[in-house]
Amino acid sequence: MTKVLLSLFLAAIFVCPVESKGNNIKENEEKISFHQLLQAVSEEYVKNPSIPDTSQPKVVNPADVSILAGDNRYWVTIYASDKYERTKALEAGLDIVEISGKQVSGIIHAKSIKTLEEKGFVIALKMTLSEYAQEFFKDFPPNDSAYHNYDEMIEVLQKIADSNKDIASLFSIGKSIEGREIWTLRINSSVKGTQSSSKPGAVFMGAHHAREHLSVEVPLLYAVWLLENRNNPDVKKYIDTLDIYIMPMVNPDGAEYDISTGKYKWQRKNMRVNPDGEIGVDLNRNYAYRWGGPGASHSTWSDTYCGPAAFSEPETQAIKKFVEERDNLKTLISYHSYSELVLYPWGGVDEPIANEKDRKVFITMAQEMAKYTGYKPQQSSDLYVATGDTTDWTYAAKGIFSFTFEITPKSSYSGGFYPGIKVIEKTVTDNIKSAMYLLSVTHNPYSVLGK
Ligand code: 0X9
Ligand code: ZN
């Protein structure tokens, strides 16, 4: 029944014509509107044909990628026949980005190439990250200025919190390693900020990985949409009865660094300066569940460096504290990009979840959310085994039904980490539907099993 109602509701919401006001929301100091935010994206694109279509490989302007010239990382393609082989490659320091049959492509530091070869991997293709970027990615900010940087994200969160003071509040769960606050918008009709609530809780997170900027837009625009539709009976029902947390940028330092020169830097990790001078810890390898095991690298220079210890990073510590302090949390989505997948635990071990009921809930929820997005549902470790990710820990520590979404696009040919602004609208609207489904079962995730 809930499902039927939800479908009707979503159908109604998404056939609504888009208002045509024509304002770029970033210049409108008065208010933030979901339609305006999306319209800013599409109108900007339509009005300014000089913005290139980032989904198609194009002629290269080497100047655009000069920022990567001193980067010691390579784009490689190797052969790895199954998830076990892929896990071995991760451990050698390869940050797997794409899997196509037996071909696995990703990013690896120059210092780890030898290790990869020593483990017996044949490197079918190897080019510097700069060469690779020239091959596939031509568009850099300001073309993507419709994406929200850290300050712009805060501005949106602040405005929607201010104009919905009775049900929304903004607070920081802690600071990043460079001292930026990790802002969280809370929607709860009874309490504010860090006050406790017994209402079932849902959490939406973005940007564990710096270069995955679209993973900020999805939770951020969902927050705008939810508050704008707060009087719709279905939305109101969830706002009245749930405790909703939206933290669109959990790795703000990395995200800011990635765009700091107007040319993408392909940053993944946080901005920790490791003792040897190498930068960054992979926050999605830094959680405690089976920390440091398969699929994580112990090399500081690797993009999948898991850090010196579980929860060594202030960003993951802040999330740990946030989760541990709240016993009411039931569901969670951590948005990443890209590949179009809905992933559920375990990711750090090649075993299904032992608790049969829980396993069925995960599978059912993943299948449902995949329907709304067109993404593929699967167990995380079927992609590759990788220890220390968010969702393994939130499920292991607190039984939260937690999902990793690898959002749009599907491949590097459609833009990879930098798909441009024209994908924002569809990605956001598709993901709102699955986020609404998540809320619809947050009261009792076991309800998805039927009676
Ligand atoms: O490797 C990751 O951290 C995630 N992919 S990404 O391209 N966004 O970096 C996937 C995590 C899925 N979890 C496991 N396989 N454990
Ligand atoms: Zn990611």
Side-chain angles (χ1 to χ4, degrees):
M1 185 60 179
T2 314
K3 248 191 271 172
V4 176
L5 283 177
L6 183 65
S7 317
L8 288 173
F9 161 69
L10 290 169
I13 291 295
F14 292 106
V15 294
C16 281
V18 174
E19 285 167 41
S20 90
K21 296 214 182 79
N23 281 335
N24 181 334
I25 194 64
K26 290 179 188 172
E27 288 159 13
N28 179 353
E29 292 305 312
E30 294 310 308
K31 65 169 192 163
I32 295 280
S33 124
F34 179 72
H35 284 314
Q36 283 174 333
L37 281 168
L38 287 188
Q39 221 179 356
V41 174
S42 30
E43 283 200 354
E44 193 175 336
Y45 187 74
V46 171
K47 267 194 304 200
N48 185 355
S50 69
I51 296 176
D53 176 353
T54 52
S55 67
Q56 299 302 322
K58 290 227 181 65
V59 181
V60 180
N61 172 5
D64 279 347
V65 293
S66 58
I67 197 71
L68 290 169
D71 198 298
N72 286 326
R73 292 172 296 171
Y74 284 84
W75 177 270
V76 296
T77 300
I78 60 163
Y79 294 105
S81 48
D82 55 25
K83 59 185 173 184
Y84 306 105
E85 291 275 299
R86 294 195 285 269
T87 300
K88 264 205 303 184
L90 281 173
E91 284 161 19
L94 178 67
D95 166 20
I96 295 177
V97 176
E98 285 187 15
I99 301 166
S100 172
K102 294 191 170 162
Q103 288 194 0
V104 170
S105 302
I107 299 169
I108 189 161
H109 195 283
K111 289 186 194 171
S112 295
I113 295 268
K114 207 167 151 238
T115 316
L116 195 67
E117 287 172 332
E118 279 168 3
K119 289 205 176 204
F121 288 103
V122 174
I123 299 178
L125 179 136
K126 177 180 153 200
M127 52 178 117
T128 64
L129 202 50
S130 164
E131 287 165 345
Y132 176 69
Q134 288 181 36
E135 185 93 357
F136 289 102
F137 299 93
K138 282 74 199 182
D139 300 314
F140 295 86
N143 293 328
D144 284 352
S145 64
Y147 281 84
H148 292 83
N149 64 25
Y150 179 66
D151 286 342
E152 291 163 345
M153 173 203 69
I154 296 172
E155 197 187 329
V156 171
L157 293 176
Q158 191 67 64
K159 278 185 178 173
I160 58 175
D162 283 352
S163 47
N164 294 276
K165 280 201 170 68
D166 53 332
I167 54 167
S169 52
L170 198 54
F171 69 100
S172 167
I173 61 165
K175 285 188 199 298
S176 65
I177 191 131
E178 290 181 342
R180 290 185 179 85
E181 303 288 355
I182 301 172
W183 290 108
T184 301
L185 182 91
R186 183 183 194 184
I187 304 177
N188 185 310
S189 60
S190 317
V191 292
K192 305 235 165 315
T194 54
Q195 289 174 321
S196 67
S197 174
S198 55
K199 293 178 180 177
V203 185
F204 300 92
M205 300 171 157
H208 269 79
H209 290 144
R211 64 194 168 201
E212 299 168 13
H213 301 287
L214 193 55
S215 76
V216 175
E217 300 304 309
V218 167
L220 179 64
L221 297 191
Y222 181 46
V224 176
W225 182 89
L226 265 180
L227 289 172
E228 199 166 295
N229 290 282
R230 54 177 290 181
N231 292 322
N232 177 288
D234 255 334
V235 176
K236 185 170 166 22
K237 185 176 72 188
Y238 301 137
I239 290 178
D240 285 347
T241 57
L242 295 175
D243 193 22
I244 303 167
Y245 296 93
I246 299 175
M247 39 187 92
M249 206 185 277
V250 303
N251 178 10
D253 301 346
E256 283 291 284
Y257 174 75
D258 195 54
I259 59 171
S260 56
T261 59
K263 292 169 186 173
Y264 292 128
K265 295 189 180 194
W266 291 63
Q267 180 67 15
R268 170 181 169 96
K269 299 185 284 182
N270 75 349
M271 296 306 291
R272 153 86 63 194
V273 181
N274 293 303
D276 59 359
E278 295 285 354
I279 301 294
V281 169
D282 183 352
L283 299 180
N284 214 31
R285 297 292 182 279
N286 193 239
Y287 289 82
Y289 184 74
R290 298 185 184 232
W291 174 86
S297 167
H298 290 269
S299 304
T300 51
W301 55 83
S302 163
D303 265 350
T304 53
Y305 175 49
C306 58
F311 291 119
S312 57
E313 303 311 294
E315 295 87 353
T316 49
Q317 280 165 23
I319 293 167
K320 175 179 191 281
K321 186 164 177 286
F322 167 85
V323 169
E324 285 180 346
E325 282 174 352
R326 289 165 180 80
D327 288 333
N328 62 324
L329 304 178
K330 301 278 179 246
T331 56
L332 181 149
I333 295 177
S334 178
Y335 295 102
H336 285 253
S337 70
Y338 56 95
S339 288
E340 303 196 341
L341 305 169
V342 177
L343 304 173
Y344 55 87
W346 300 117
V349 59
D350 183 29
E351 286 165 16
I353 284 169
N355 182 312
E356 201 184 332
K357 248 176 127 182
D358 285 10
R359 188 170 70 245
K360 284 185 178 157
V361 170
F362 270 115
I363 293 170
T364 309
M365 286 179 69
Q367 283 171 346
E368 284 303 314
M369 293 192 288
K371 277 186 208 161
Y372 291 117
T373 50
Y375 301 167
K376 182 181 167 200
Q378 67 180 97
Q379 184 173 329
S380 278
S381 58
D382 283 343
L383 188 65
Y384 42 72
V385 175
T387 46
D389 80 6
T390 312
T391 54
D392 273 10
W393 180 75
T394 48
Y395 173 62
K398 301 282 281 189
I400 300 168
F401 287 98
S402 309
F403 299 83
T404 302
F405 273 49
E406 292 286 357
I407 58 175
T408 303
K410 212 168 211 152
S411 71
S412 57
Y413 289 97
S414 322
F417 295 117
Y418 305 114
I421 59 172
K422 69 185 172 52
V423 301
I424 296 177
E425 181 167 3
K426 182 170 166 24
T427 306
V428 168
T429 48
D430 285 352
N431 276 282
I432 285 176
K433 297 174 199 172
S434 49
M436 285 304 285
Y437 171 82
L438 193 91
L439 293 191
S440 78
V441 305
T442 294
H443 290 99
N444 176 16
Y446 293 101
S447 65
V448 305
L449 301 178
K451 288 194 179 132

